[in-house]
Amino acid sequence: MLTLTDEQIKAFHRDGFLALDAITDAEEVAALRETYDRIFASRAVREAGDQLDLVSHDEDDEAAANIAQPLPQVLNPSKYAPELAQTRMRANAERIARQLLGEEAVFRFDHAIRKPPHHGAATPWHQDEAYNAPDMDYHEISIWVPLQEATRANGCMQFIPGSHRWEVAAHQPIGGDPKVVGLEVTDARDYDARAVVCELPAGGATIHHCRTMHYTGPNRTDQPRRAYIMGFGAPPTPRAAPRDFEWLRRQQTAWQERQAKRT
Ligand code: NI
């Protein structure tokens, strides 16, 4: 069982992120890759509304989903592969979450982002909390696990140290296009120059706070970049100071329309 050192815990609270060389072993990574590819290929996942693209309009249901899409995402993969919850990776992630957030921390959701070879898009700079309800404060982390080596060339994680202490910056749908699901910060300033680039071996992990500013580059390699992400959190608390995430009100995506028809 993996235990963070005091040094690592201190580094997380100082920087808002942490990189680990291993959260699981090679054997489990091989099994996870099979599960991962099966879920992305599944029509059932798409039909249930849990498969969408983060940067395109994603309107064409007939297209072979994850081949035509530049940044395909699956929501709640463990709903389709319950074995994901029985892994060494998950047990280690839960322990890490409790060490960083306290004993109240529980698993909240998982998702998976696949960058196709050659044309996989960048995930622009953003804070995850920009996707959440604006009337609560969140005490959450994401644990991001690459199922192959993660490098600058295929889109490893990059972070701005200390940004977890910022408020949520102004965001917009990527490219300012309200039909796009993914969000980006409107002013990325000198972030590229200040970023800490976290290259990792397969089965390593980065851990980041929901306010930590982060980015992944496009996939310029000839292999897909598979990342599996687990979210953990202590219960959110009502916010004293109100805020408006107007970018969420502005969004009108084909995915939301499909979701509305399902309910
Ligand atoms: Ni993110």
Side-chain angles (χ1 to χ4, degrees):
M1 188 70 94
L2 200 152
T3 304
L4 297 178
T5 63
D6 289 347
E7 202 91 314
Q8 287 173 313
I9 294 171
K10 244 165 85 181
F12 174 83
H13 291 300
R14 181 189 64 224
D15 299 333
F17 69 92
L18 187 66
L20 304 176
D21 279 343
I23 194 169
T24 182
D25 54 53
E27 197 184 328
E28 191 167 270
V29 168
L32 286 166
R33 280 167 69 128
E34 277 183 34
T35 303
Y36 194 95
D37 289 348
R38 175 165 54 80
I39 294 170
F40 270 91
S42 163
R43 294 292 304 176
V45 177
R46 174 78 180 177
E47 278 156 20
D50 282 334
Q51 198 281 328
L52 62 146
D53 189 71
L54 281 166
V55 295
S56 71
H57 287 183
D58 193 17
E59 281 164 332
D60 183 6
D61 261 337
E62 296 312 308
N66 57 60
I67 294 173
Q69 297 172 338
L71 197 55
Q73 169 172 239
V74 165
L75 305 173
N76 310 308
S78 56
K79 196 166 106 188
Y80 305 95
E83 65 267 31
L84 288 169
Q86 308 302 326
T87 53
R88 185 168 164 237
M89 168 189 66
R90 171 72 172 266
N92 282 333
E94 279 178 4
R95 186 174 169 88
I96 290 168
R98 284 198 297 273
Q99 282 191 274
L100 295 176
L101 297 171
E103 289 301 315
E104 280 194 316
V106 293
F107 175 82
R108 298 185 74 81
F109 64 94
D110 59 348
H111 64 127
I113 303 178
R114 184 178 180 279
K115 286 194 200 268
H118 301 302
H119 62 287
T123 313
W125 287 104
H126 67 279
Q127 293 164 296
D128 292 338
E129 195 174 322
Y131 286 90
N132 291 359
D135 55 344
M136 304 294 270
D137 273 319
Y138 295 86
H139 315 287
E140 295 184 0
I141 57 170
S142 288
I143 302 184
W144 185 97
V145 181
L147 303 183
Q148 69 297 301
E149 205 182 7
T151 62
R152 204 190 264 273
N154 73 359
C156 67
M157 288 288 266
Q158 305 191 25
F159 300 102
I160 303 296
S163 52
H164 63 308
R165 285 188 292 267
W166 300 355
E167 281 294 326
V168 174
H171 283 65
Q172 65 179 7
I174 293 170
D177 183 341
K179 286 178 173 291
V180 168
V181 171
L183 297 174
E184 64 182 358
V185 71
T186 55
D187 177 12
R189 277 169 270 182
D190 53 348
Y191 292 167
D192 287 335
R194 291 162 59 197
V196 175
V197 179
C198 292
E199 297 197 317
L200 289 176
T206 60
I207 301 147
H208 67 272
H209 185 267
C210 56
R211 284 199 189 170
T212 306
M213 193 66 77
H214 58 285
Y215 167 90
T216 63
N219 180 6
R220 303 183 201 283
T221 70
D222 58 9
Q223 296 296 317
R225 192 231 59 185
R226 302 171 183 87
Y228 174 70
I229 303 129
M230 293 162 280
F232 291 87
T237 46
R239 243 185 104 78
R243 58 185 174 177
D244 180 17
F245 288 175
E246 54 84 21
W247 50 89
L248 296 181
R249 288 189 284 107
R250 258 204 295 153
Q251 269 179 319
Q252 270 195 319
T253 67
W255 176 68
Q256 288 168 325
E257 276 167 36
R258 292 195 293 271
Q259 293 298 82
K261 274 185 214 145
R262 280 186 189 97
T263 53

